[in-house]
Amino acid sequence: MSKGTINVAVENIFPLIKKFLYSDHEIFLRELISNATDATLKLKHLTGIGEADVEYGNPKIEVKIDKEKKQLHIIDEGIGMTQEEVEKYINEIAFSGAEEFLEKYKDKNGEDAGIIGHFGLGFYSAFMVAGKVEIITKSYKDEPAVHWTCDGSPEYSITKSKKKERGTEIILHIAEDSTEFLEESRIRELLVKYNKFMPIPIKFGTKTETLPKPEGAKEEDKAPTREVDNIINNPNPAWTKQPTDLEAEDYKKFYRELYPMQFEEPLFNIHLNVDYPFHLTGILYFPKMTNDMSIQKDKIQLYQNQVFVTDNVEGIVPEFLTMLRGVIDSPDIPLNVSRSYLQADGAVKKISSYITRKVADKLKSLFNTDRADFEKKWNDIKIVIEYGMLTEEKFFEKAQEFALYPTVDGKHYTLAELKEKIKDAQTDKDENLVVLYASKEEEQHSYIEAAKERGYEVLLLDSPIVSHLLQKMESSNEKLTFVRVDSDHVDNLIKKDEDAISKLSEEEKETLKEFLTATIPSEKFSVQLEAMDSKANPFIITEPEFMRRMKEMQQTGGGMFGMGTMPDMYNLVVNTNHELMVEILNTKTQKKKERLVKQALDLAKLSKNLLKGEEMTAFIKRSYEMIK
């Protein structure tokens, strides 16, 4: 037996390990199983190249709980260690890695949430949950087995062991404050969370398997059963295979494996597979989207060599794709670093660009292969594409070929197709191409109909970021402007050379405007007189495009500062050619004039969905009185 002292530069490192990473102390199991996996894969490599003269077989990793002894065992059939290797890898290298990690991050005052993974902490993470740790190990080489013990102080002991089988067993004597890790349900939860797709089978207990009934068995006879290893993981997940080896059903099956509580099928998937200039594999899925971007995020799982790291992939995956689901696995993503470092890392930037390009190429391919199906799915995927167009310039450029602009009539155009379609009817007197759109089809129905009667196409753009997107489109396309159908009366939406003639004289218009301005609340409406078709409504409420758009942009992040809290601004466009204006001018009593104006104003509010509460009650009462 030999004893020794670990060279400690950081005073009381074991309490520090426990205290510093307490919020994340469950990762000890991930670390120990990662080590066991590495030991097994190293043996596979050595036997493959003929350097280890042993049978590799079908090794597995086993996790066992001994509740009575308060022990947790992690057992592998891997490469094992000699006494010399234990001294080197456990007492020197592994410990110095833990020490270096703590030295780097212990003064962050709880800022460790910014550290993505704790790989490299390795073996000594065991002391976050154990008061004492034992290693019983036998090398694949013909050397005696070794038993290493440490009770959480810098002292350790090494003795010979009687272990006959190749591999390593780690025994954790679970501390009193960590007894949750003696519960089967808790360990299963961690194994599923971190090790669900590890490349070596992980056994956790046994399960009963039902066998086929033998020939000639009666119907009432019970089917035979047997106890088999309960393998907790899938060592060969879909993303580790070549796309040519997978069918559509394999991708769907893997999606259900990733998200067992997700009952809707994904719309389509993108298989990532790159070897240069970095290594990355993965599968991304487009689920059905809602317009609420906040509930979509953090669904992509990040792995490093099939070990789960995090589902907060900000900085690695372009922000607009964080709304997707799936898996990304890369050994080239540095994990012991803060997010700010990550975002500046060259390899990560290349990975992010690659994923953006791959997604854009897949979308273009889907659009070209089956446009009708792509159009059918547009509403479910548009929020991701529009967000990507806003935030990633390269994606914006590629998206011009597949981004769609749907109309209120259910047609879909690319921007190039739309420009060609509307250029004759919707070019104004200054040679600007004016694209009309609605954001709420039902509320803006009367405005949409007025525009369609003129032969105009009206788009339906209803995502929450549409104001930002239109601003981007206008700045990227000369002589192109987007105008919402309710931002002005139909004659002013697309200004042509001809001006309509008013039936009222200048004096009558002045008299009418004075009366309307005095009767209609100026804090809510700006009154403007326009000569329109006599069949058009007498009063039309519009929202100025610029003010409304800036306000919407401020509310969703961006736009002009302070605009988001400003009250809604409306114009009341008065049709001077409507017969009601003549009646208002000719009515003798002030009371009747006011009643006519209020009724017409309330009707305009009603068409704009602005008539509510007390005003609606008064309008209904007044309307009944008028038809008595």
Side-chain angles (χ1 to χ4, degrees), residues 135-148:
I135 302 172
I136 302 169
T137 182
K138 178 165 174 55
S139 172
Y140 73 97
K141 300 168 187 171
D142 189 19
E143 291 198 32
V146 181
H147 189 167
W148 178 94

Side-chain angles (χ1 to χ4, degrees), residues 17 65 199 219 370 391 427 547 554 581 628:
I17 286 173
I65 297 170
E219 197 174 323
D370 190 346
T391 55
T427 301
M547 297 291 284
Q554 179 72 39
M581 299 311 122
K628 277 180 183 177

Side-chain angles (χ1 to χ4, degrees), residues 371 375 404-413 421 457 459:
R371 176 162 177 168
E375 288 180 1
L404 292 176
Y405 298 85
T407 71
V408 290
D409 297 322
K411 300 173 199 158
H412 292 77
Y413 299 107
K421 172 77 177 170
E457 285 281 1
L459 302 183

Side-chain angles (χ1 to χ4, degrees), residues 94 161 234 313 339 396 447 616:
S161 164
N234 171 4
V313 293
R339 297 199 181 283
F396 177 79
Y447 301 90
M616 175 66 93

Side-chain angles (χ1 to χ4, degrees), residues 6 13-14 17-18 21 25 27-36 38 72-74 76 81 85-99 101-102 118-137 147-153 155-158 168-173:
I6 299 166
I13 193 165
F14 294 102
I17 286 173
K18 191 160 190 171
L21 287 172
H25 63 330
I27 62 145
F28 80 93
L29 191 59
R30 179 190 74 181
E31 293 293 332
L32 296 177
I33 288 180
S34 294
N35 287 350
D38 287 346
L72 181 67
H73 300 245
I74 295 99
D76 71 59
M81 287 182 282
E85 286 166 340
V86 169
E87 292 275 10
K88 181 179 177 182
Y89 293 114
I90 301 299
N91 299 340
E92 294 173 28
I93 294 174
F95 189 82
S96 63
E99 187 178 25
F101 183 87
L102 281 166
H118 303 298
F119 285 86
L121 185 60
F123 168 72
Y124 278 90
S125 62
F127 286 96
M128 290 192 285
V129 299
K132 175 182 169 185
V133 178
E134 297 178 66
I135 302 172
I136 302 169
T137 182
H147 189 167
W148 178 94
T149 307
C150 180
D151 64 0
S153 70
E155 281 81 35
Y156 65 87
S157 66
I158 293 182
T168 299
E169 178 174 4
I170 311 278
I171 305 169
L172 277 64
H173 298 258

Side-chain angles (χ1 to χ4, degrees), residues 51 65 93 140 167 174 186 189 254 260 306-307 327 348 393 395 454 458 490 525 560 566 570 603 611:
E51 280 199 22
I65 297 170
I93 294 174
Y140 73 97
I174 301 296
R186 181 71 169 119
E189 176 198 341
F254 181 58
Q306 294 177 236
V307 184
V327 167
V348 172
E393 196 57 41
F395 186 80
R454 294 293 175 90
V458 180
V490 71
F525 298 99
M560 294 175 69
M566 285 184 68
Y570 298 102
L603 285 165
L611 196 63

